Amino acid sequence: MNLRERYDAATAALDAPFAVVDLAAFRANAADLVRRAAGKPIRVASKSVRCRALLEEALAMDGFAGVMAFTLPEALWLAERRVSDDILVAYPTTDRTALTALARDEHAARTVTLMVDCDDHLDLIERCAEGRPVRVCVDVDASYRALHGRLRVGARRSPLHAPAQVRAFAERILKRPGLRLVGLMAYEGQIAGVGDLPPGRPVRARAIQVMQRRSRLELARRRAAIVTAVRELTDLEFVNGGGTGSVEKTAAERAVTEVAAGSGLYQPHLFDHYSNFRGRPAALFALPVVRRPAPGVVTCLGGGYLASGPGDPIRLPQPYLPTGLSYDPEEGAGEVQTPLLGETADRLAIGDRVWFRHTKAGELCERFAELHLIDGDRLVRTVPTYRGEGRTFL
């Protein structure tokens, strides 16, 4: 039984559209992440999972510890449901209601750590906390700068780049008795989130590889200096770095105590083009064939599930099974219908499924209220996504 037959058999009683997770692939991907982390704990990036049951599935495996949440309301919800007793919010918050709730909830205040990178963050937290203790982590800019700053590669995150800047900010945090500085984070998106083997583009691949090597060496030296400078002031519980694409590289740094990963559990197609690892597609969605407009063409219901990021073709979901299907360039993936072209289309009947892979991991869960979990050729469980639990945090 091939992969498509197995998925079709497991979901024969379901009516598409729906989404599934292949548990064997999910667990294999998790094991490979742990192998790559080489003994350092992996903090699960919840934005890439967005399903409480599968967060718990990952956290139950050896090698995973803690959650990296994407909003404070999400972190409070996960803390309330005891998903983890160690939740780091990866992005700064200005949600005054959530900040007040955090400070007033003793369990949440012990469990949740907030991200900060400027004095305005500190002021807002203190106003809302009203003297109650709050845990904070400093977000360090991990972007790569060259040519005396004229070239910059990486996500536009924190304004804190140099060791002296981070140390000075840490000193200001330590002067505020209501705040506890417990960690540092530096996310190297230009390495962790950019594949170094773009298909059919060897020159670009070489340029990416050179940039990533130089960036990795520069950041390792700078991160070590930053950690040393801050540890001279206070103890730190953790130093977080990395992402799915850079797990083994980041974990190799002595200054880093843990790595983050999440997308690698589902292995969306954005992560197919890395030289250092190969994941198994674990999260898929199925659309039904509802029309056959012409020879070599079928039309599926729905499908316009574009991913966030720059507006380019890679943001489209990828037709996966059966192979040999492509988009109509005039229509792409549509809000209510998606035409697909190719000889394979002539072998599809009304009611057949086409299986797709999303570009980015957790964003698939914003489209579906449930994930059907497949083990072998059996559907073993159906679990709600965040959306299915009535939670849409962003």
Side-chain angles (χ1 to χ4, degrees):
M1 185 180 290
N2 64 34
L3 199 57
R4 181 189 173 205
E5 290 171 341
R6 183 159 66 83
Y7 291 153
D8 282 345
T11 61
L14 301 178
D15 290 316
F18 56 79
V20 305
V21 169
D22 182 330
L23 287 176
F26 182 92
R27 291 165 181 158
N29 291 338
D32 193 53
L33 287 169
V34 171
R35 177 192 62 79
R36 293 169 59 206
K40 290 193 176 174
I42 299 171
R43 187 180 290 273
V44 185
S46 65
K47 78 175 183 65
S48 300
V49 179
R50 302 195 201 200
C51 172
R52 191 155 54 97
L54 289 174
L55 284 174
E56 292 169 344
E57 176 89 12
L59 289 168
M61 301 178 192
D62 290 341
F64 290 85
V67 171
M68 179 175 282
F70 55 99
T71 73
L72 179 54
E74 178 211 12
L76 295 174
W77 178 65
L78 294 176
E80 179 186 0
R81 281 150 181 79
R82 303 304 197 265
V83 171
S84 173
D85 60 2
D86 180 4
I87 303 173
L88 171 64
V89 182
Y91 304 89
T93 183
T94 58
D95 188 324
R96 292 168 295 175
T97 301
L99 285 168
T100 301
L102 170 68
R104 292 178 179 177
D105 183 330
E106 290 186 7
H107 171 73
R110 292 193 304 270
T111 300
V112 176
T113 302
L114 301 180
M115 194 64 61
V116 294
D117 64 32
C118 68
D119 290 347
D120 289 342
H121 294 152
L122 309 182
D123 293 341
L124 179 59
I125 293 168
E126 284 194 321
R127 285 198 301 272
C128 294
E130 298 176 337
R132 300 177 184 88
V134 176
R135 295 164 53 88
V136 299
C137 171
V138 175
D139 193 357
V140 176
D141 175 39
S143 67
Y144 176 57
R145 301 179 184 181
L147 303 176
H148 303 288
R150 292 193 296 274
L151 172 66
R152 181 186 179 282
V153 182
R156 295 184 180 276
R157 294 175 65 104
S158 170
L160 304 172
H161 187 82
Q165 290 178 302
V166 181
R167 181 187 173 104
F169 184 56
E171 289 174 339
R172 297 199 295 276
I173 294 173
L174 294 171
K175 291 177 181 177
R176 302 187 184 225
L179 302 182
R180 288 188 55 212
L181 175 57
V182 298
L184 297 174
M185 186 187 83
Y187 171 60
E188 54 270 39
Q190 69 276 14
I191 304 171
V194 179
D196 62 347
L197 290 177
R201 305 181 72 180
V203 175
R204 178 170 174 79
R206 179 59 180 160
I208 291 172
Q209 291 161 12
V210 170
M211 176 276 293
Q212 290 183 340
R213 183 173 63 254
R214 292 179 179 175
S215 176
R216 188 169 67 250
L217 293 173
E218 184 277 333
L219 179 59
R221 290 191 290 266
R222 180 160 53 89
R223 182 153 42 198
I226 288 169
V227 171
T228 297
V230 175
R231 286 195 185 277
E232 289 173 354
L233 304 174
T234 187
D235 291 334
L236 293 171
E237 294 179 14
F238 63 87
V239 177
N240 180 279
T244 288
S246 68
V247 166
E248 69 277 22
K249 299 178 180 71
T250 307
E253 293 183 34
R254 189 172 300 176
V256 173
T257 66
E258 63 175 41
V259 291
S263 295
L265 294 169
Y266 286 167
Q267 187 62 21
H269 75 81
L270 185 65
F271 286 81
D272 282 352
H273 307 297
Y274 286 78
S275 60
N276 54 317
F277 74 100
R278 290 288 183 274
R280 290 172 53 182
L284 311 166
F285 66 93
L287 301 181
V289 173
V290 294
R291 287 177 172 163
R292 294 173 51 87
V297 184
V298 292
T299 302
C300 293
L301 179 68
Y305 310 152
L306 275 66
S308 61
D312 56 35
I314 202 171
R315 304 296 151 180
L316 294 172
Q318 180 186 77
Y320 180 49
L321 298 171
T323 59
L325 295 171
S326 61
Y327 289 112
D328 181 333
E330 299 300 319
E331 294 196 48
E335 176 188 11
V336 290
Q337 72 164 37
T338 296
L340 296 171
L341 313 180
E343 292 182 5
T344 299
D346 291 329
R347 298 192 291 273
L348 292 172
I350 298 296
D352 283 351
R353 285 96 173 259
V354 176
W355 295 87
F356 291 77
R357 297 171 63 199
H358 203 272
T359 302
K360 298 182 76 174
E363 292 183 11
L364 172 65
C365 294
E366 299 300 332
R367 296 289 184 169
F368 293 93
E370 297 175 329
L371 294 174
H372 302 284
L373 308 185
I374 294 175
D375 199 352
D377 61 353
R378 297 183 305 116
L379 194 162
V380 295
R381 189 180 172 200
T382 296
V383 297
T385 61
Y386 280 11
R387 176 180 174 179
E389 295 199 67
R391 305 288 174 166
T392 51
F393 295 107
L394 277 180

